[in-house]
Amino acid sequence: MESTAASEAQEAQTPRAPAPPPSPSEPPAAPRARPRLVFRTQLAHGSPTGKIEGFTNVRELYAKIAEAFGIAPTEILFCTLNSHKVDMQKLLGGQIGLEDFIFAHVRGETKEVEVTKTEDALGLTITDNGAGYAFIKRIKEGSIINRIEAVCVGDSIEAINDHSIVGCRHYEVAKMLRELPKSQPFTLRLVQPKRAFDMIGQRSRSSKCPVEAKVTSGRETLRLRSGGAATVEEVPSEFEEEASRKVDDLLESYMGIRDPELASTMVETSKKTVSVQEFARCLDSVLGEFAFPDEFVVEVWAAIGEAREACG
């Protein structure tokens, strides 16, 4: 008994080693990697389905599509979303829904038409694909161009009077057409998109400007930018969509172009300003190459304000 008691006393006097810190039950969670963004694509006139990824702007998108189908990127005139038809309401702009299907419209036949400008306006609305090709987005009912059956919505304008305009932006092409003298014939060299059998004979026109169809799926879109990396963003708000539509309408009426991505950029710019004067200065710094007239900037500012009030 004495021996056992002495042993216990000795153990009590011996300092114990500190207990090791408790090990965490689970390692800290690693940050979740963003899923790969893979999009399905086809050639609009017919092809197997390809898959593309890793692009940040329209030029890179065209390069990826071209690689998938073994064609040159310059063969692609424009892309539509979720429709293989030449449907300008489904035209790919600066945003792609994460579940959208991309159809690439490639070069078809080349044609030349002679036009005599008997009025100030030809009745064309021009847009471009962001990669060097300007093309016809609308033909106004009853206009000069409307009377020329060979000219169709979706035709790319390759040359004016044998002067190549490949590489020109839509507003530059629209300005060239506006400045052509009246009563003097001129020649347009056009390239029509290659069509599937069910699209032959199709010719779209419009004298009105219907609301652009919403082509995104889900709650997020891939935003393509001319400068900088593409970003995944929430679908535009009701105000952003309404304001962008109003600005796009003004672009058409003032400049003869439609460009939803340009309109969206102008709406974004307006959010950072509190007066029309500040808005004008910001537009000059961001979009100075357009040289927007003062009266146009004032109307855009007013239209954005109307959209803000209407959407609360």
Side-chain angles (χ1 to χ4, degrees):
M1 294 289 296
E2 291 178 357
S3 165
T4 302
S7 174
E8 290 177 352
Q10 185 177 4
E11 286 181 6
Q13 293 173 3
T14 304
R16 295 177 179 269
S23 59
S25 57
E26 294 182 2
R32 188 175 63 178
R34 181 176 292 279
R36 289 167 54 199
L37 300 179
V38 180
F39 295 86
R40 294 171 299 156
T41 183
Q42 286 183 2
L43 300 181
H45 64 279
S47 76
T49 298
K51 292 184 178 181
I52 56 172
E53 61 179 305
F55 54 88
T56 61
N57 55 50
V58 171
R59 288 184 184 273
E60 291 181 6
L61 167 63
Y62 285 10
K64 293 289 185 180
I65 295 174
E67 181 182 357
F69 296 110
I71 61 175
T74 52
E75 288 292 300
I76 301 173
L77 298 179
F78 56 87
C79 293
T80 50
L81 299 177
N82 307 316
S83 173
H84 71 285
K85 296 184 178 180
V86 180
D87 185 347
M88 293 294 108
Q89 293 189 49
K90 301 292 181 67
L91 192 66
L92 183 149
Q95 292 185 328
I96 307 174
L98 300 189
E99 298 177 6
D100 282 340
F101 200 114
I102 303 170
F103 290 89
H105 298 254
V106 301
R107 293 173 63 93
E109 295 181 6
T110 300
K111 53 193 175 183
E112 287 197 357
V113 295
E114 185 176 276
V115 184
T116 300
K117 191 175 181 182
T118 55
E119 304 169 19
D120 290 332
L122 292 169
L124 287 178
T125 298
I126 309 297
T127 190
D128 65 42
N129 69 355
Y133 289 144
F135 58 93
I136 299 169
K137 188 168 186 180
R138 297 192 196 284
I139 299 174
K140 186 177 181 180
E141 200 72 41
S143 65
I144 297 170
I145 293 295
N146 185 61
R147 296 191 287 270
I148 304 174
E149 286 293 328
V151 182
C152 301
V153 167
D155 286 352
S156 172
I157 304 175
E158 192 168 67
I160 301 173
N161 285 333
D162 291 326
H163 171 69
S164 174
I165 60 164
V166 174
C168 294
R169 293 297 313 275
H170 46 27
Y171 65 93
E172 295 172 313
V173 177
K175 184 172 183 288
M176 292 177 200
L177 293 172
R178 281 199 306 271
E179 292 176 350
L180 289 169
K182 289 173 67 174
S183 303
Q184 183 175 327
F186 66 93
T187 301
L188 287 176
R189 185 162 74 242
L190 307 169
V191 179
Q192 69 182 36
K194 195 170 184 179
R195 299 173 188 265
F197 286 115
D198 65 337
M199 298 159 62
I200 292 173
Q202 173 181 326
R203 188 190 189 210
S204 301
R205 313 164 186 268
S206 176
S207 60
K208 298 181 180 180
C209 301
V211 176
E212 299 294 332
K214 190 173 182 179
V215 294
T216 57
S217 302
R219 297 185 59 190
E220 292 183 317
T221 63
L222 182 68
R223 177 77 180 272
L224 304 178
R225 302 179 186 277
S226 55
T231 55
V232 176
E233 300 180 355
E234 292 291 317
V235 170
S237 66
E238 181 185 359
F239 155 68
E240 290 167 333
E241 286 191 342
E242 176 64 12
S244 295
R245 184 187 65 78
K246 286 178 174 289
V247 173
D248 207 17
D249 288 346
L250 288 171
L251 285 169
E252 182 171 31
S253 62
Y254 267 83
M255 303 176 67
I257 65 173
R258 287 192 79 85
D259 189 332
E261 178 60 17
L262 174 60
S264 176
T265 299
M266 297 176 78
V267 172
E268 283 187 10
T269 302
S270 74
K271 296 178 186 177
K272 307 169 187 174
T273 60
V274 296
S275 68
V276 65
Q277 293 82 5
E278 186 182 3
F279 179 54
R281 288 193 297 270
C282 286
L283 286 182
D284 283 341
S285 65
V286 176
L287 301 167
E289 70 271 20
F290 288 91
F292 295 124
D294 291 342
E295 62 270 20
F296 172 73
V297 174
V298 171
E299 284 211 38
V300 168
W301 178 260
I304 293 172
E306 290 172 5
R308 185 176 287 109
E309 289 180 7
C311 298

